[in-house]
Amino acid sequence: MTTPDPDGLLAEQLLRLTRRVHRIQKRHLEHRELGITPAQSRLLRTLAHWGSPPRMADLAERLEVVPRAVTTLVDGLEASGKVRRVPDPANRRVIRIELTDDGRGALRELRAARRSAAEEILAPLSEDQRKALGGLLDTLIDGTPVQSC
């Protein structure tokens, strides 16, 4: 007789939750008809956290993808007017990527879609359960064990 693997069950639950979150966010994103893929959404969110326009290589490193993948994402976002390529003022051979006004507007819509998706996912939880989940998620994100009393 085999014993249940609690860690295996938790891993499976996390993977199933991740897939569910992705599906729900994608549906909320599609509902807003922004014409932005989840990967483009991630690039826009990443771009918004830079103080000045980054290079494509910087974006690729931050997103942990190959530079060619960033080029494809930027091409699509540039075609829709969400980002633009601008020359680096210190080195004209370097191209930087910056958000346009349309890109900033799309980011606001993306944030609203993510909030709506989160509300849908968290709806079954009470306020206390949400607080407990938040604490557990912080621990998992930080990788720091919880101190017992």
Side-chain angles (χ1 to χ4, degrees):
M1 183 171 178
T2 61
T3 58
D5 177 7
D7 290 337
L9 176 60
L10 281 173
E12 181 60 30
Q13 287 173 310
L14 283 171
L15 290 172
R16 288 175 52 209
L17 177 60
T18 300
R19 286 191 297 264
R20 181 169 185 250
V21 167
H22 182 76
R23 277 192 318 271
I24 290 171
Q25 284 185 339
K26 186 176 178 183
R27 181 170 36 84
H28 281 264
L29 190 61
E30 288 169 353
H31 178 71
R32 292 178 183 271
E33 299 179 3
L34 293 172
I36 296 174
T37 67
Q40 288 173 329
S41 167
R42 185 169 172 235
L43 186 137
L44 284 175
R45 289 190 321 270
T46 301
L47 191 55
H49 287 94
W50 246 283
S52 61
R55 298 172 307 136
M56 299 262 257
D58 298 328
L59 285 168
E61 184 178 329
R62 178 78 55 91
L63 293 169
E64 298 178 344
V65 298
V66 296
R68 177 72 189 123
V70 171
T71 300
T72 301
L73 293 172
V74 168
D75 286 347
L77 289 168
E78 187 176 39
S80 68
K82 309 270 185 304
V83 301
R84 70 176 144 251
R85 288 172 166 93
V86 294
D88 184 306
N91 182 348
R92 66 183 186 171
R93 293 176 297 178
V94 174
I95 299 297
R96 296 192 174 266
I97 309 303
E98 71 178 8
L99 282 171
T100 63
D101 288 341
D102 280 353
R104 282 185 277 284
L107 268 173
R108 285 189 293 278
E109 287 292 318
L110 291 169
R111 287 182 187 117
R114 288 173 62 122
R115 276 192 305 275
S116 296
E119 288 171 15
E120 181 178 334
I121 292 163
L122 297 173
L125 301 180
S126 69
E127 190 60 36
D128 287 343
Q129 289 172 319
R130 288 176 187 216
K131 286 179 184 174
L133 177 61
L136 293 169
L137 290 173
D138 282 344
T139 300
L140 292 173
I141 291 165
D142 295 341
T144 307
V146 176
Q147 299 294 324
S148 351
C149 298

mmCIF file of all heavy atoms in Angstrom, residues 107-145:
data_model
loop_
_atom_site.group_PDB
_atom_site.id
_atom_site.type_symbol
_atom_site.label_atom_id
_atom_site.label_comp_id
_atom_site.label_asym_id
_atom_site.label_seq_id
_atom_site.Cartn_x
_atom_site.Cartn_y
_atom_site.Cartn_z
ATOM 1 N N LEU A 107 -2.260 49.765 -20.185
ATOM 2 C CA LEU A 107 -1.833 49.273 -18.869
ATOM 3 C C LEU A 107 -2.926 49.471 -17.821
ATOM 4 O O LEU A 107 -3.139 48.596 -16.985
ATOM 5 C CB LEU A 107 -0.568 50.007 -18.419
ATOM 6 C CG LEU A 107 0.743 49.353 -18.792
ATOM 7 C CD1 LEU A 107 1.908 50.266 -18.449
ATOM 8 C CD2 LEU A 107 0.899 48.017 -18.108
ATOM 9 N N ARG A 108 -3.606 50.601 -17.863
ATOM 10 C CA ARG A 108 -4.713 50.824 -16.921
ATOM 11 C C ARG A 108 -5.798 49.773 -17.123
ATOM 12 O O ARG A 108 -6.334 49.225 -16.162
ATOM 13 C CB ARG A 108 -5.273 52.235 -17.079
ATOM 14 C CG ARG A 108 -4.384 53.319 -16.479
ATOM 15 C CD ARG A 108 -5.062 54.682 -16.448
ATOM 16 N NE ARG A 108 -5.287 55.233 -17.773
ATOM 17 C CZ ARG A 108 -4.380 55.873 -18.502
ATOM 18 N NH1 ARG A 108 -3.167 56.061 -18.015
ATOM 19 N NH2 ARG A 108 -4.671 56.344 -19.694
ATOM 20 N N GLU A 109 -6.112 49.484 -18.382
ATOM 21 C CA GLU A 109 -7.117 48.461 -18.684
ATOM 22 C C GLU A 109 -6.638 47.075 -18.247
ATOM 23 O O GLU A 109 -7.422 46.273 -17.747
ATOM 24 C CB GLU A 109 -7.438 48.447 -20.185
ATOM 25 C CG GLU A 109 -8.260 49.624 -20.641
ATOM 26 C CD GLU A 109 -9.674 49.589 -20.080
ATOM 27 O OE1 GLU A 109 -10.292 48.507 -20.048
ATOM 28 O OE2 GLU A 109 -10.156 50.649 -19.655
ATOM 29 N N LEU A 110 -5.364 46.801 -18.449
ATOM 30 C CA LEU A 110 -4.799 45.515 -18.033
ATOM 31 C C LEU A 110 -4.885 45.350 -16.524
ATOM 32 O O LEU A 110 -5.228 44.275 -16.034
ATOM 33 C CB LEU A 110 -3.344 45.403 -18.490
ATOM 34 C CG LEU A 110 -3.106 45.273 -19.981
ATOM 35 C CD1 LEU A 110 -1.630 45.439 -20.307
ATOM 36 C CD2 LEU A 110 -3.623 43.940 -20.484
ATOM 37 N N ARG A 111 -4.569 46.407 -15.801
ATOM 38 C CA ARG A 111 -4.652 46.330 -14.334
ATOM 39 C C ARG A 111 -6.089 46.081 -13.895
ATOM 40 O O ARG A 111 -6.332 45.290 -12.982
ATOM 41 C CB ARG A 111 -4.111 47.607 -13.711
ATOM 42 C CG ARG A 111 -2.610 47.712 -13.802
ATOM 43 C CD ARG A 111 -2.078 48.967 -13.122
ATOM 44 N NE ARG A 111 -0.664 49.097 -13.368
ATOM 45 C CZ ARG A 111 -0.101 50.096 -14.043
ATOM 46 N NH1 ARG A 111 -0.839 51.080 -14.526
ATOM 47 N NH2 ARG A 111 1.197 50.131 -14.224
ATOM 48 N N ALA A 112 -7.027 46.734 -14.541
ATOM 49 C CA ALA A 112 -8.442 46.523 -14.211
ATOM 50 C C ALA A 112 -8.857 45.083 -14.518
ATOM 51 O O ALA A 112 -9.586 44.450 -13.736
ATOM 52 C CB ALA A 112 -9.319 47.517 -14.973
ATOM 53 N N ALA A 113 -8.383 44.543 -15.624
ATOM 54 C CA ALA A 113 -8.698 43.151 -15.989
ATOM 55 C C ALA A 113 -8.098 42.187 -14.965
ATOM 56 O O ALA A 113 -8.747 41.213 -14.568
ATOM 57 C CB ALA A 113 -8.177 42.833 -17.394
ATOM 58 N N ARG A 114 -6.894 42.459 -14.524
ATOM 59 C CA ARG A 114 -6.261 41.588 -13.511
ATOM 60 C C ARG A 114 -6.996 41.662 -12.190
ATOM 61 O O ARG A 114 -7.174 40.647 -11.514
ATOM 62 C CB ARG A 114 -4.792 41.974 -13.332
ATOM 63 C CG ARG A 114 -3.938 41.569 -14.524
ATOM 64 C CD ARG A 114 -2.542 42.104 -14.386
ATOM 65 N NE ARG A 114 -1.909 41.564 -13.219
ATOM 66 C CZ ARG A 114 -0.773 40.874 -13.239
ATOM 67 N NH1 ARG A 114 -0.148 40.674 -14.363
ATOM 68 N NH2 ARG A 114 -0.251 40.401 -12.134
ATOM 69 N N ARG A 115 -7.434 42.871 -11.797
ATOM 70 C CA ARG A 115 -8.206 43.002 -10.554
ATOM 71 C C ARG A 115 -9.515 42.235 -10.653
ATOM 72 O O ARG A 115 -9.912 41.546 -9.719
ATOM 73 C CB ARG A 115 -8.470 44.473 -10.237
ATOM 74 C CG ARG A 115 -7.336 45.151 -9.500
ATOM 75 C CD ARG A 115 -7.733 46.505 -8.950
ATOM 76 N NE ARG A 115 -8.264 47.408 -9.956
ATOM 77 C CZ ARG A 115 -7.525 48.182 -10.746
ATOM 78 N NH1 ARG A 115 -6.222 48.160 -10.651
ATOM 79 N NH2 ARG A 115 -8.075 48.977 -11.635
ATOM 80 N N SER A 116 -10.191 42.340 -11.798
ATOM 81 C CA SER A 116 -11.451 41.611 -11.998
ATOM 82 C C SER A 116 -11.221 40.108 -11.919
ATOM 83 O O SER A 116 -12.008 39.373 -11.314
ATOM 84 C CB SER A 116 -12.072 41.950 -13.357
ATOM 85 O OG SER A 116 -12.422 43.300 -13.419
ATOM 86 N N ALA A 117 -10.147 39.654 -12.527
ATOM 87 C CA ALA A 117 -9.825 38.228 -12.492
ATOM 88 C C ALA A 117 -9.531 37.789 -11.058
ATOM 89 O O ALA A 117 -10.002 36.739 -10.613
ATOM 90 C CB ALA A 117 -8.636 37.933 -13.402
ATOM 91 N N ALA A 118 -8.775 38.594 -10.331
ATOM 92 C CA ALA A 118 -8.458 38.259 -8.938
ATOM 93 C C ALA A 118 -9.723 38.212 -8.091
ATOM 94 O O ALA A 118 -9.884 37.312 -7.251
ATOM 95 C CB ALA A 118 -7.466 39.271 -8.363
ATOM 96 N N GLU A 119 -10.621 39.155 -8.303
ATOM 97 C CA GLU A 119 -11.882 39.151 -7.563
ATOM 98 C C GLU A 119 -12.664 37.872 -7.829
ATOM 99 O O GLU A 119 -13.226 37.273 -6.911
ATOM 100 C CB GLU A 119 -12.721 40.371 -7.923
ATOM 101 C CG GLU A 119 -12.172 41.670 -7.369
ATOM 102 C CD GLU A 119 -12.885 42.899 -7.926
ATOM 103 O OE1 GLU A 119 -13.977 42.762 -8.510
ATOM 104 O OE2 GLU A 119 -12.325 44.001 -7.775
ATOM 105 N N GLU A 120 -12.690 37.444 -9.080
ATOM 106 C CA GLU A 120 -13.394 36.209 -9.428
ATOM 107 C C GLU A 120 -12.754 35.001 -8.746
ATOM 108 O O GLU A 120 -13.445 34.144 -8.193
ATOM 109 C CB GLU A 120 -13.393 36.013 -10.943
ATOM 110 C CG GLU A 120 -14.110 34.769 -11.390
ATOM 111 C CD GLU A 120 -14.147 34.607 -12.905
ATOM 112 O OE1 GLU A 120 -14.076 35.615 -13.643
ATOM 113 O OE2 GLU A 120 -14.255 33.449 -13.352
ATOM 114 N N ILE A 121 -11.436 34.945 -8.768
ATOM 115 C CA ILE A 121 -10.726 33.810 -8.185
ATOM 116 C C ILE A 121 -10.892 33.778 -6.664
ATOM 117 O O ILE A 121 -11.077 32.724 -6.066
ATOM 118 C CB ILE A 121 -9.237 33.866 -8.566
ATOM 119 C CG1 ILE A 121 -9.091 33.605 -10.073
ATOM 120 C CG2 ILE A 121 -8.399 32.877 -7.762
ATOM 121 C CD1 ILE A 121 -7.767 34.029 -10.635
ATOM 122 N N LEU A 122 -10.833 34.940 -6.031
ATOM 123 C CA LEU A 122 -10.883 35.008 -4.564
ATOM 124 C C LEU A 122 -12.302 35.054 -3.999
ATOM 125 O O LEU A 122 -12.472 34.986 -2.780
ATOM 126 C CB LEU A 122 -10.100 36.238 -4.085
ATOM 127 C CG LEU A 122 -8.609 36.233 -4.420
ATOM 128 C CD1 LEU A 122 -7.987 37.572 -4.055
ATOM 129 C CD2 LEU A 122 -7.905 35.085 -3.731
ATOM 130 N N ALA A 123 -13.299 35.145 -4.856
ATOM 131 C CA ALA A 123 -14.693 35.280 -4.402
ATOM 132 C C ALA A 123 -15.114 34.242 -3.359
ATOM 133 O O ALA A 123 -15.816 34.593 -2.401
ATOM 134 C CB ALA A 123 -15.640 35.258 -5.600
ATOM 135 N N PRO A 124 -14.715 32.980 -3.475
ATOM 136 C CA PRO A 124 -15.177 31.993 -2.487
ATOM 137 C C PRO A 124 -14.552 32.146 -1.098
ATOM 138 O O PRO A 124 -14.999 31.512 -0.150
ATOM 139 C CB PRO A 124 -14.768 30.642 -3.084
ATOM 140 C CG PRO A 124 -14.343 30.893 -4.474
ATOM 141 C CD PRO A 124 -14.005 32.338 -4.583
ATOM 142 N N LEU A 125 -13.520 32.976 -0.956
ATOM 143 C CA LEU A 125 -12.801 33.093 0.315
ATOM 144 C C LEU A 125 -13.357 34.211 1.191
ATOM 145 O O LEU A 125 -13.707 35.281 0.694
ATOM 146 C CB LEU A 125 -11.313 33.358 0.069
ATOM 147 C CG LEU A 125 -10.549 32.319 -0.752
ATOM 148 C CD1 LEU A 125 -9.096 32.755 -0.896
ATOM 149 C CD2 LEU A 125 -10.655 30.951 -0.118
ATOM 150 N N SER A 126 -13.369 33.969 2.504
ATOM 151 C CA SER A 126 -13.744 35.010 3.463
ATOM 152 C C SER A 126 -12.570 35.980 3.599
ATOM 153 O O SER A 126 -11.449 35.702 3.131
ATOM 154 C CB SER A 126 -14.055 34.382 4.828
ATOM 155 O OG SER A 126 -12.850 33.888 5.404
ATOM 156 N N GLU A 127 -12.794 37.078 4.290
ATOM 157 C CA GLU A 127 -11.732 38.067 4.504
ATOM 158 C C GLU A 127 -10.569 37.449 5.280
ATOM 159 O O GLU A 127 -9.401 37.669 4.956
ATOM 160 C CB GLU A 127 -12.280 39.297 5.237
ATOM 161 C CG GLU A 127 -11.320 40.462 5.296
ATOM 162 C CD GLU A 127 -10.910 40.980 3.916
ATOM 163 O OE1 GLU A 127 -11.740 40.984 2.986
ATOM 164 O OE2 GLU A 127 -9.735 41.371 3.763
ATOM 165 N N ASP A 128 -10.878 36.648 6.302
ATOM 166 C CA ASP A 128 -9.819 35.988 7.081
ATOM 167 C C ASP A 128 -9.035 35.008 6.216
ATOM 168 O O ASP A 128 -7.810 34.914 6.327
ATOM 169 C CB ASP A 128 -10.411 35.252 8.293
ATOM 170 C CG ASP A 128 -10.865 36.208 9.385
ATOM 171 O OD1 ASP A 128 -10.449 37.389 9.369
ATOM 172 O OD2 ASP A 128 -11.638 35.775 10.262
ATOM 173 N N GLN A 129 -9.721 34.265 5.369
ATOM 174 C CA GLN A 129 -9.048 33.327 4.476
ATOM 175 C C GLN A 129 -8.141 34.067 3.486
ATOM 176 O O GLN A 129 -7.041 33.609 3.177
ATOM 177 C CB GLN A 129 -10.060 32.462 3.722
ATOM 178 C CG GLN A 129 -10.761 31.448 4.602
ATOM 179 C CD GLN A 129 -11.886 30.739 3.866
ATOM 180 O OE1 GLN A 129 -12.639 31.358 3.108
ATOM 181 N NE2 GLN A 129 -12.003 29.442 4.097
ATOM 182 N N ARG A 130 -8.611 35.221 3.001
ATOM 183 C CA ARG A 130 -7.789 36.016 2.076
ATOM 184 C C ARG A 130 -6.513 36.497 2.762
ATOM 185 O O ARG A 130 -5.437 36.469 2.171
ATOM 186 C CB ARG A 130 -8.575 37.208 1.539
ATOM 187 C CG ARG A 130 -9.652 36.821 0.550
ATOM 188 C CD ARG A 130 -10.458 38.029 0.118
ATOM 189 N NE ARG A 130 -11.583 37.624 -0.696
ATOM 190 C CZ ARG A 130 -12.035 38.315 -1.724
ATOM 191 N NH1 ARG A 130 -11.489 39.472 -2.048
ATOM 192 N NH2 ARG A 130 -13.054 37.879 -2.414
ATOM 193 N N LYS A 131 -6.643 36.951 4.006
ATOM 194 C CA LYS A 131 -5.467 37.407 4.757
ATOM 195 C C LYS A 131 -4.489 36.253 4.971
ATOM 196 O O LYS A 131 -3.278 36.414 4.800
ATOM 197 C CB LYS A 131 -5.883 38.009 6.097
ATOM 198 C CG LYS A 131 -6.513 39.379 5.972
ATOM 199 C CD LYS A 131 -6.915 39.913 7.322
ATOM 200 C CE LYS A 131 -7.636 41.246 7.156
ATOM 201 N NZ LYS A 131 -8.168 41.755 8.417
ATOM 202 N N ALA A 132 -5.031 35.095 5.337
ATOM 203 C CA ALA A 132 -4.168 33.923 5.551
ATOM 204 C C ALA A 132 -3.476 33.530 4.240
ATOM 205 O O ALA A 132 -2.272 33.253 4.226
ATOM 206 C CB ALA A 132 -4.990 32.754 6.102
ATOM 207 N N LEU A 133 -4.225 33.515 3.160
ATOM 208 C CA LEU A 133 -3.648 33.180 1.856
ATOM 209 C C LEU A 133 -2.566 34.186 1.480
ATOM 210 O O LEU A 133 -1.487 33.811 0.998
ATOM 211 C CB LEU A 133 -4.734 33.135 0.771
ATOM 212 C CG LEU A 133 -4.250 32.868 -0.651
ATOM 213 C CD1 LEU A 133 -3.560 31.510 -0.743
ATOM 214 C CD2 LEU A 133 -5.413 32.962 -1.622
ATOM 215 N N GLY A 134 -2.825 35.462 1.709
ATOM 216 C CA GLY A 134 -1.830 36.493 1.413
ATOM 217 C C GLY A 134 -0.535 36.270 2.171
ATOM 218 O O GLY A 134 0.561 36.377 1.608
ATOM 219 N N GLY A 135 -0.642 35.921 3.441
ATOM 220 C CA GLY A 135 0.550 35.634 4.243
ATOM 221 C C GLY A 135 1.302 34.425 3.730
ATOM 222 O O GLY A 135 2.538 34.427 3.640
ATOM 223 N N LEU A 136 0.567 33.379 3.381
ATOM 224 C CA LEU A 136 1.200 32.172 2.845
ATOM 225 C C LEU A 136 1.883 32.454 1.506
ATOM 226 O O LEU A 136 2.997 31.990 1.253
ATOM 227 C CB LEU A 136 0.171 31.055 2.693
ATOM 228 C CG LEU A 136 -0.403 30.500 4.002
ATOM 229 C CD1 LEU A 136 -1.604 29.609 3.718
ATOM 230 C CD2 LEU A 136 0.671 29.763 4.782
ATOM 231 N N LEU A 137 1.204 33.216 0.652
ATOM 232 C CA LEU A 137 1.791 33.545 -0.648
ATOM 233 C C LEU A 137 3.054 34.386 -0.486
ATOM 234 O O LEU A 137 4.040 34.171 -1.188
ATOM 235 C CB LEU A 137 0.765 34.247 -1.545
ATOM 236 C CG LEU A 137 -0.370 33.364 -2.045
ATOM 237 C CD1 LEU A 137 -1.411 34.207 -2.776
ATOM 238 C CD2 LEU A 137 0.137 32.243 -2.934
ATOM 239 N N ASP A 138 3.029 35.347 0.445
ATOM 240 C CA ASP A 138 4.239 36.139 0.706
ATOM 241 C C ASP A 138 5.395 35.237 1.107
ATOM 242 O O ASP A 138 6.526 35.414 0.649
ATOM 243 C CB ASP A 138 3.988 37.172 1.814
ATOM 244 C CG ASP A 138 3.226 38.384 1.341
ATOM 245 O OD1 ASP A 138 3.142 38.612 0.110
ATOM 246 O OD2 ASP A 138 2.694 39.115 2.200
ATOM 247 N N THR A 139 5.109 34.263 1.962
ATOM 248 C CA THR A 139 6.141 33.327 2.395
ATOM 249 C C THR A 139 6.681 32.535 1.210
ATOM 250 O O THR A 139 7.906 32.372 1.072
ATOM 251 C CB THR A 139 5.575 32.357 3.464
ATOM 252 O OG1 THR A 139 5.133 33.124 4.584
ATOM 253 C CG2 THR A 139 6.627 31.353 3.903
ATOM 254 N N LEU A 140 5.803 32.057 0.350
ATOM 255 C CA LEU A 140 6.258 31.298 -0.818
ATOM 256 C C LEU A 140 7.024 32.160 -1.800
ATOM 257 O O LEU A 140 8.022 31.719 -2.378
ATOM 258 C CB LEU A 140 5.052 30.642 -1.519
ATOM 259 C CG LEU A 140 4.361 29.529 -0.743
ATOM 260 C CD1 LEU A 140 3.105 29.082 -1.465
ATOM 261 C CD2 LEU A 140 5.296 28.363 -0.498
ATOM 262 N N ILE A 141 6.590 33.388 -1.986
ATOM 263 C CA ILE A 141 7.263 34.302 -2.913
ATOM 264 C C ILE A 141 8.657 34.660 -2.392
ATOM 265 O O ILE A 141 9.627 34.648 -3.138
ATOM 266 C CB ILE A 141 6.411 35.563 -3.152
ATOM 267 C CG1 ILE A 141 5.153 35.187 -3.952
ATOM 268 C CG2 ILE A 141 7.216 36.643 -3.864
ATOM 269 C CD1 ILE A 141 4.078 36.257 -3.949
ATOM 270 N N ASP A 142 8.725 34.980 -1.096
ATOM 271 C CA ASP A 142 10.009 35.374 -0.507
ATOM 272 C C ASP A 142 10.928 34.182 -0.264
ATOM 273 O O ASP A 142 12.141 34.349 -0.162
ATOM 274 C CB ASP A 142 9.777 36.088 0.834
ATOM 275 C CG ASP A 142 9.035 37.397 0.673
ATOM 276 O OD1 ASP A 142 9.007 37.939 -0.455
ATOM 277 O OD2 ASP A 142 8.455 37.873 1.664
ATOM 278 N N GLY A 143 10.344 32.997 -0.121
ATOM 279 C CA GLY A 143 11.138 31.809 0.155
ATOM 280 C C GLY A 143 11.641 31.747 1.585
ATOM 281 O O GLY A 143 12.580 31.023 1.898
ATOM 282 N N THR A 144 11.035 32.533 2.479
ATOM 283 C CA THR A 144 11.446 32.573 3.868
ATOM 284 C C THR A 144 10.464 31.749 4.698
ATOM 285 O O THR A 144 9.252 31.997 4.644
ATOM 286 C CB THR A 144 11.451 34.034 4.387
ATOM 287 O OG1 THR A 144 12.225 34.815 3.491
ATOM 288 C CG2 THR A 144 12.026 34.115 5.788
ATOM 289 N N PRO A 145 10.956 30.810 5.482
ATOM 290 C CA PRO A 145 10.042 29.997 6.303
ATOM 291 C C PRO A 145 9.303 30.859 7.321
ATOM 292 O O PRO A 145 9.835 31.843 7.834
ATOM 293 C CB PRO A 145 10.968 29.008 7.020
ATOM 294 C CG PRO A 145 12.287 29.109 6.347
ATOM 295 C CD PRO A 145 12.344 30.421 5.641
#
